[in-house]
Structures are given as structure tokens and as C-alpha cells.
Amino acid sequence: MRLVHLADLHLGFRQYQRLTVAGINQREADVAATLQRAALQIVDVAPELIVIGGDVFHTVRPSNPAILHAFRVLSMLRDRLPDTPIVMVAGNHDAPRTAETGCILRLFREIGVHVADAKPELFTFPNRSLAVLAVPDVPGVERPPLLPPEGFDHRVLLLHGEIAGMLPEHVATADRAAIEIKPEELHADAWSYVALGHYHVYREVAPRAYYSGSLDYTSSNPWGELREEREQRIPGKGFIEHDLVRGTHRFHPVAPTRPLIDLEPVDASGMGAQELDSAIRARVDSAPGGIDDRIVRVTVRNVARHVVRELDHAALREYRKRATHFHLDTRRPDPIPRRTGSGGGGAHQRRATLPEIVGERLRERPLPVGVDREQFVAIGLRYLQQAEDAAVAAMPVLES
């Protein structure tokens, strides 16, 4: 009894300004093509069950091309694997925030997909002695105890949500799920398998309980995902094949349509603009397979603002023209603690001001691709100043 577990398809995801010849956002087309390849791999695996852990679409109201592509892919799976049930839950990107707005996923019931979009549902398949408890990520809906039903040999929990303490801080704060569950609430040891969606990197959270990860790089911080995959030696994006009887487990990589390349960072300490230009050029020239039609980042650390202004911007325009997206992530040097003289002739470190602390934190925060760090910091400090000015204006005037 083998199942395939995939999640976080994010069809309709759009990024950057590149369009296909048909006028579709290039990244939207990339994500659709990645799903098509994954579906063909799933047909080759020929599982007895397919579970989809939510965030099928990137928005509650996806574009018509995204809906049509999902319909075609799921119809192809139903036609080629007619005896394989498909069970799907809504994720936080699928589920409307208001009860009167319907969820687009229920459309797929028309082609025989079992969908839990508004409330948890138990789907049973008696001829396989199989039960699937499907729990969507819907705010305000009471969640049942996550305990398997009796009378079935194979019991699967399908859930879109956030397992408390399992996600890195930048993921948990950037894209919060409505559902947050303590690990012990999963009762993972009581289930044949727990299929999770929401976290975009393949991860085991307990024996027989996994996040499959997304099929493509569709989060606000793909570079963080690349780093995690390198550190954990995960071969990129893909889906899971798990045998409920034998317990065998396999992660199937799916090649992304458009590779992301995070080039080796440059330490610009002591460099002038010409030296830094040469270092960036060296990184670009060393990119495996080149940068053409790819998504590329070069991080430059310890670079002063005036050096960035003096870079060869014609060369940077060339890189941006060649790549689908070229991101030069420049980061200023860490602030040097100021020291002031003491009465005894020595020195002591001055306590940092609030703007200094806020500025430093904003410079460390992971940013979505395409966000200018210096502009981000400047806006944050401006808001802080506005808040301070408002607080001063609201203070009562003391009369002498």
C-alpha cells in the first residue's frame, strides 16, 4: 500500500517582471511546468493513494490559467491512475478568510478528487481498509482530536499547518498558518503515516510524519530554503513515496524548471568599486552552467554605500538582462561600537541607541528577492522616527 505525498504547489505564483511569449508571468509558467513533470513522475510510481497537503494555489482567487492547469494535471492523474484515490486539503493560501467566500478547490470534486476545504473530513476506502483524516488550514474551525479511526488497517492523517517549534523563525514569521499544532497533538505513532503541508523544505518531524516540501521555490525567502537544503543534504524539491505496509520511504526529487543559483558571497572589506566589480564578475563567470535564464544572487558583505554607488552599473544591467532575475544583495559593514572616555582615563562602550539597534536588526533580517536592503532599512528607521515624533507630540505640556 504505497502513497505519494506532495504539497505546496502554489500554482499562480508570480515573481519578477518577465513574461512568456504568451504573456504569462515567467515564474507562473515555470511553476506550472514543474508540476507537470512531477505528475508524470507520479504516474510512473503508480501509487495506491495520492495525498496533497494544501496550498494548491498561491492565492485564494487564482488566475484562470492556473485553475485550468490544475484541472488538466489532476484530470491526467485520474485518467492514468483510475484506481488511485486523490485526497486534497486546503492550505492557508487556498482557504478564504471569510465564511461567505467559497474555496476554489471544491471544483476538483467534479473529477473525483476528495477535497476537504471548509472543515476536517474523514474519507474512507473500505475495499483498501484505508481511512484518511483530512484537516484543512481554515481559521475559526474547530479541530477534532487528531486520533485515527478504528477498524482500518491503514490510517493516514493529511494536514496543512505549522508544527510548533519545527519551523525556522524566518519561515514562521513570514507566512503564518492558521493551524499551529503541538508535536504531541499529532499522535504520530498511532497513524500509519502523517502527511504535512506548509513548510517548503522536506523534513521529518516524527517517525512516519513528514513535510514533503514544495515542488518549486515559491516562498518569500528561496535563498533560505537553498541554504537549508544544502545543510541537510536534501536534493532540492520533490515528493514522497511511502509504503504503509513495509514502512519503506523515498524522496523523489523534481528538477525545478528554472534553477536558482546562490553564488559564493563576496567579502568586500577594503575593496574599492573596481575591485568589487572584478570580484562580482568572477562570481558570475564561475556560475555552474552560466547565469543565462536563471535566478541568480550574489551577496556582497561589508560594502560601504558609496562603493555600491560607484559600481559598474552597465555590467550589472548586462547580468540582469542575461538572467531571468539577478539580485545583488549588498550589506553594509557591522556598526563599530563607539567608545567614550571615562573619568579614570580609560574607555567604556556606549550603549547603542534605539535607531542603531533597529537598523542593525533590519540589516540582518532575511528579505524577499528583489527588495533593496538599504531602502528597507531607511523606511524602517523613518517609521521609527515618525513614531517617536508622534509620542513627543502627545506628551502633556507642563506649565511652570
Side-chain angles (χ1 to χ4, degrees), residues 76-96:
M76 184 270 288
L77 289 173
R78 298 297 300 121
D79 290 343
R80 299 202 187 182
L81 301 171
D83 299 324
T84 300
I86 302 174
V87 182
M88 172 192 298
V89 294
N92 58 302
H93 282 256
D94 302 308

PDB file of all heavy atoms in Angstrom, residues 76-96:
ATOM      1  N   MET A  76      -5.446  14.359 -15.666  1.00  0.00           N
ATOM      2  CA  MET A  76      -4.486  13.394 -16.204  1.00  0.00           C
ATOM      3  C   MET A  76      -4.172  12.305 -15.174  1.00  0.00           C
ATOM      4  O   MET A  76      -4.123  11.111 -15.506  1.00  0.00           O
ATOM      5  CB  MET A  76      -3.208  14.117 -16.623  1.00  0.00           C
ATOM      6  CG  MET A  76      -2.160  13.217 -17.281  1.00  0.00           C
ATOM      7  SD  MET A  76      -1.002  12.478 -16.101  1.00  0.00           S
ATOM      8  CE  MET A  76      -0.038  13.941 -15.663  1.00  0.00           C
ATOM      9  N   LEU A  77      -3.983  12.691 -13.908  1.00  0.00           N
ATOM     10  CA  LEU A  77      -3.728  11.695 -12.869  1.00  0.00           C
ATOM     11  C   LEU A  77      -4.933  10.771 -12.696  1.00  0.00           C
ATOM     12  O   LEU A  77      -4.770   9.554 -12.527  1.00  0.00           O
ATOM     13  CB  LEU A  77      -3.402  12.386 -11.547  1.00  0.00           C
ATOM     14  CG  LEU A  77      -2.043  13.095 -11.465  1.00  0.00           C
ATOM     15  CD1 LEU A  77      -1.933  13.882 -10.167  1.00  0.00           C
ATOM     16  CD2 LEU A  77      -0.890  12.094 -11.571  1.00  0.00           C
ATOM     17  N   ARG A  78      -6.145  11.320 -12.728  1.00  0.00           N
ATOM     18  CA  ARG A  78      -7.336  10.478 -12.595  1.00  0.00           C
ATOM     19  C   ARG A  78      -7.465   9.517 -13.774  1.00  0.00           C
ATOM     20  O   ARG A  78      -7.862   8.361 -13.598  1.00  0.00           O
ATOM     21  CB  ARG A  78      -8.607  11.365 -12.526  1.00  0.00           C
ATOM     22  CG  ARG A  78      -8.688  12.320 -11.350  1.00  0.00           C
ATOM     23  CD  ARG A  78      -8.726  11.605  -9.992  1.00  0.00           C
ATOM     24  NE  ARG A  78      -9.866  10.738  -9.895  1.00  0.00           N
ATOM     25  CZ  ARG A  78      -9.790   9.436  -9.677  1.00  0.00           C
ATOM     26  NH1 ARG A  78      -8.601   8.851  -9.555  1.00  0.00           N
ATOM     27  NH2 ARG A  78     -10.858   8.696  -9.597  1.00  0.00           N
ATOM     28  N   ASP A  79      -7.128   9.982 -14.988  1.00  0.00           N
ATOM     29  CA  ASP A  79      -7.260   9.122 -16.166  1.00  0.00           C
ATOM     30  C   ASP A  79      -6.212   8.016 -16.169  1.00  0.00           C
ATOM     31  O   ASP A  79      -6.518   6.860 -16.498  1.00  0.00           O
ATOM     32  CB  ASP A  79      -7.117   9.967 -17.437  1.00  0.00           C
ATOM     33  CG  ASP A  79      -8.304  10.888 -17.657  1.00  0.00           C
ATOM     34  OD1 ASP A  79      -9.359  10.656 -17.024  1.00  0.00           O
ATOM     35  OD2 ASP A  79      -8.170  11.852 -18.444  1.00  0.00           O
ATOM     36  N   ARG A  80      -4.978   8.356 -15.828  1.00  0.00           N
ATOM     37  CA  ARG A  80      -3.896   7.364 -15.909  1.00  0.00           C
ATOM     38  C   ARG A  80      -3.801   6.470 -14.672  1.00  0.00           C
ATOM     39  O   ARG A  80      -3.223   5.386 -14.743  1.00  0.00           O
ATOM     40  CB  ARG A  80      -2.566   8.071 -16.141  1.00  0.00           C
ATOM     41  CG  ARG A  80      -2.521   8.873 -17.433  1.00  0.00           C
ATOM     42  CD  ARG A  80      -1.109   9.105 -17.876  1.00  0.00           C
ATOM     43  NE  ARG A  80      -1.025   9.998 -19.021  1.00  0.00           N
ATOM     44  CZ  ARG A  80       0.094  10.338 -19.629  1.00  0.00           C
ATOM     45  NH1 ARG A  80       1.255   9.849 -19.185  1.00  0.00           N
ATOM     46  NH2 ARG A  80       0.094  11.166 -20.653  1.00  0.00           N
ATOM     47  N   LEU A  81      -4.338   6.941 -13.558  1.00  0.00           N
ATOM     48  CA  LEU A  81      -4.351   6.127 -12.337  1.00  0.00           C
ATOM     49  C   LEU A  81      -5.792   6.051 -11.835  1.00  0.00           C
ATOM     50  O   LEU A  81      -6.125   6.575 -10.766  1.00  0.00           O
ATOM     51  CB  LEU A  81      -3.436   6.756 -11.269  1.00  0.00           C
ATOM     52  CG  LEU A  81      -1.967   6.935 -11.646  1.00  0.00           C
ATOM     53  CD1 LEU A  81      -1.244   7.760 -10.578  1.00  0.00           C
ATOM     54  CD2 LEU A  81      -1.274   5.586 -11.822  1.00  0.00           C
ATOM     55  N   PRO A  82      -6.674   5.407 -12.594  1.00  0.00           N
ATOM     56  CA  PRO A  82      -8.116   5.460 -12.278  1.00  0.00           C
ATOM     57  C   PRO A  82      -8.481   4.824 -10.951  1.00  0.00           C
ATOM     58  O   PRO A  82      -9.526   5.162 -10.377  1.00  0.00           O
ATOM     59  CB  PRO A  82      -8.756   4.708 -13.460  1.00  0.00           C
ATOM     60  CG  PRO A  82      -7.661   3.834 -13.993  1.00  0.00           C
ATOM     61  CD  PRO A  82      -6.389   4.592 -13.790  1.00  0.00           C
ATOM     62  N   ASP A  83      -7.668   3.901 -10.445  1.00  0.00           N
ATOM     63  CA  ASP A  83      -7.986   3.226  -9.186  1.00  0.00           C
ATOM     64  C   ASP A  83      -7.296   3.860  -7.991  1.00  0.00           C
ATOM     65  O   ASP A  83      -7.369   3.312  -6.880  1.00  0.00           O
ATOM     66  CB  ASP A  83      -7.593   1.740  -9.278  1.00  0.00           C
ATOM     67  CG  ASP A  83      -8.355   1.005 -10.373  1.00  0.00           C
ATOM     68  OD1 ASP A  83      -9.545   1.335 -10.567  1.00  0.00           O
ATOM     69  OD2 ASP A  83      -7.756   0.131 -11.038  1.00  0.00           O
ATOM     70  N   THR A  84      -6.613   4.964  -8.193  1.00  0.00           N
ATOM     71  CA  THR A  84      -5.858   5.625  -7.123  1.00  0.00           C
ATOM     72  C   THR A  84      -6.634   6.829  -6.597  1.00  0.00           C
ATOM     73  O   THR A  84      -6.803   7.819  -7.313  1.00  0.00           O
ATOM     74  CB  THR A  84      -4.484   6.092  -7.639  1.00  0.00           C
ATOM     75  OG1 THR A  84      -3.745   4.963  -8.103  1.00  0.00           O
ATOM     76  CG2 THR A  84      -3.699   6.794  -6.539  1.00  0.00           C
ATOM     77  N   PRO A  85      -7.125   6.771  -5.350  1.00  0.00           N
ATOM     78  CA  PRO A  85      -7.807   7.942  -4.797  1.00  0.00           C
ATOM     79  C   PRO A  85      -6.843   9.129  -4.644  1.00  0.00           C
ATOM     80  O   PRO A  85      -5.657   8.946  -4.340  1.00  0.00           O
ATOM     81  CB  PRO A  85      -8.301   7.462  -3.424  1.00  0.00           C
ATOM     82  CG  PRO A  85      -8.175   5.972  -3.447  1.00  0.00           C
ATOM     83  CD  PRO A  85      -7.083   5.639  -4.408  1.00  0.00           C
ATOM     84  N   ILE A  86      -7.371  10.320  -4.853  1.00  0.00           N
ATOM     85  CA  ILE A  86      -6.623  11.553  -4.613  1.00  0.00           C
ATOM     86  C   ILE A  86      -7.361  12.331  -3.530  1.00  0.00           C
ATOM     87  O   ILE A  86      -8.547  12.611  -3.680  1.00  0.00           O
ATOM     88  CB  ILE A  86      -6.501  12.411  -5.890  1.00  0.00           C
ATOM     89  CG1 ILE A  86      -5.810  11.627  -7.009  1.00  0.00           C
ATOM     90  CG2 ILE A  86      -5.734  13.701  -5.592  1.00  0.00           C
ATOM     91  CD1 ILE A  86      -5.789  12.359  -8.344  1.00  0.00           C
ATOM     92  N   VAL A  87      -6.651  12.653  -2.443  1.00  0.00           N
ATOM     93  CA  VAL A  87      -7.241  13.394  -1.333  1.00  0.00           C
ATOM     94  C   VAL A  87      -6.466  14.697  -1.177  1.00  0.00           C
ATOM     95  O   VAL A  87      -5.234  14.700  -1.164  1.00  0.00           O
ATOM     96  CB  VAL A  87      -7.209  12.585  -0.023  1.00  0.00           C
ATOM     97  CG1 VAL A  87      -7.884  13.381   1.104  1.00  0.00           C
ATOM     98  CG2 VAL A  87      -7.891  11.243  -0.201  1.00  0.00           C
ATOM     99  N   MET A  88      -7.201  15.797  -1.037  1.00  0.00           N
ATOM    100  CA  MET A  88      -6.592  17.128  -1.009  1.00  0.00           C
ATOM    101  C   MET A  88      -7.188  17.947   0.134  1.00  0.00           C
ATOM    102  O   MET A  88      -8.382  17.874   0.407  1.00  0.00           O
ATOM    103  CB  MET A  88      -6.875  17.813  -2.357  1.00  0.00           C
ATOM    104  CG  MET A  88      -6.495  19.258  -2.465  1.00  0.00           C
ATOM    105  SD  MET A  88      -7.205  19.987  -3.981  1.00  0.00           S
ATOM    106  CE  MET A  88      -6.410  19.032  -5.265  1.00  0.00           C
ATOM    107  N   VAL A  89      -6.325  18.737   0.799  1.00  0.00           N
ATOM    108  CA  VAL A  89      -6.811  19.688   1.798  1.00  0.00           C
ATOM    109  C   VAL A  89      -6.467  21.103   1.357  1.00  0.00           C
ATOM    110  O   VAL A  89      -5.537  21.317   0.575  1.00  0.00           O
ATOM    111  CB  VAL A  89      -6.213  19.441   3.202  1.00  0.00           C
ATOM    112  CG1 VAL A  89      -6.668  18.124   3.769  1.00  0.00           C
ATOM    113  CG2 VAL A  89      -4.693  19.538   3.187  1.00  0.00           C
ATOM    114  N   ALA A  90      -7.204  22.068   1.883  1.00  0.00           N
ATOM    115  CA  ALA A  90      -6.908  23.476   1.628  1.00  0.00           C
ATOM    116  C   ALA A  90      -5.815  23.946   2.572  1.00  0.00           C
ATOM    117  O   ALA A  90      -5.803  23.590   3.755  1.00  0.00           O
ATOM    118  CB  ALA A  90      -8.163  24.325   1.814  1.00  0.00           C
ATOM    119  N   GLY A  91      -4.899  24.750   2.028  1.00  0.00           N
ATOM    120  CA  GLY A  91      -3.881  25.379   2.846  1.00  0.00           C
ATOM    121  C   GLY A  91      -4.240  26.822   3.140  1.00  0.00           C
ATOM    122  O   GLY A  91      -5.289  27.322   2.712  1.00  0.00           O
ATOM    123  N   ASN A  92      -3.376  27.526   3.858  1.00  0.00           N
ATOM    124  CA  ASN A  92      -3.674  28.913   4.211  1.00  0.00           C
ATOM    125  C   ASN A  92      -3.724  29.823   2.989  1.00  0.00           C
ATOM    126  O   ASN A  92      -4.380  30.859   3.018  1.00  0.00           O
ATOM    127  CB  ASN A  92      -2.664  29.447   5.233  1.00  0.00           C
ATOM    128  CG  ASN A  92      -1.226  29.380   4.742  1.00  0.00           C
ATOM    129  OD1 ASN A  92      -0.733  28.306   4.415  1.00  0.00           O
ATOM    130  ND2 ASN A  92      -0.545  30.508   4.705  1.00  0.00           N
ATOM    131  N   HIS A  93      -3.068  29.438   1.870  1.00  0.00           N
ATOM    132  CA  HIS A  93      -3.161  30.236   0.648  1.00  0.00           C
ATOM    133  C   HIS A  93      -4.443  29.924  -0.134  1.00  0.00           C
ATOM    134  O   HIS A  93      -4.855  30.733  -0.970  1.00  0.00           O
ATOM    135  CB  HIS A  93      -1.948  29.985  -0.247  1.00  0.00           C
ATOM    136  CG  HIS A  93      -0.718  30.700   0.192  1.00  0.00           C
ATOM    137  ND1 HIS A  93      -0.236  31.820  -0.434  1.00  0.00           N
ATOM    138  CD2 HIS A  93       0.132  30.468   1.227  1.00  0.00           C
ATOM    139  CE1 HIS A  93       0.863  32.241   0.170  1.00  0.00           C
ATOM    140  NE2 HIS A  93       1.107  31.424   1.188  1.00  0.00           N
ATOM    141  N   ASP A  94      -5.048  28.760   0.127  1.00  0.00           N
ATOM    142  CA  ASP A  94      -6.270  28.369  -0.588  1.00  0.00           C
ATOM    143  C   ASP A  94      -7.534  28.837   0.123  1.00  0.00           C
ATOM    144  O   ASP A  94      -8.540  29.146  -0.526  1.00  0.00           O
ATOM    145  CB  ASP A  94      -6.366  26.839  -0.715  1.00  0.00           C
ATOM    146  CG  ASP A  94      -5.182  26.214  -1.425  1.00  0.00           C
ATOM    147  OD1 ASP A  94      -4.864  26.684  -2.529  1.00  0.00           O
ATOM    148  OD2 ASP A  94      -4.589  25.269  -0.875  1.00  0.00           O
ATOM    149  N   ALA A  95      -7.496  28.817   1.450  1.00  0.00           N
ATOM    150  CA  ALA A  95      -8.722  28.976   2.227  1.00  0.00           C
ATOM    151  C   ALA A  95      -9.102  30.442   2.370  1.00  0.00           C
ATOM    152  O   ALA A  95      -8.298  31.252   2.831  1.00  0.00           O
ATOM    153  CB  ALA A  95      -8.533  28.352   3.613  1.00  0.00           C
ATOM    154  N   PRO A  96     -10.317  30.808   1.992  1.00  0.00           N
ATOM    155  CA  PRO A  96     -10.765  32.184   2.182  1.00  0.00           C
ATOM    156  C   PRO A  96     -10.815  32.539   3.662  1.00  0.00           C
ATOM    157  O   PRO A  96     -11.037  31.678   4.519  1.00  0.00           O
ATOM    158  CB  PRO A  96     -12.179  32.182   1.588  1.00  0.00           C
ATOM    159  CG  PRO A  96     -12.230  30.983   0.703  1.00  0.00           C
ATOM    160  CD  PRO A  96     -11.329  29.975   1.320  1.00  0.00           C
TER     161      PRO A  96
END
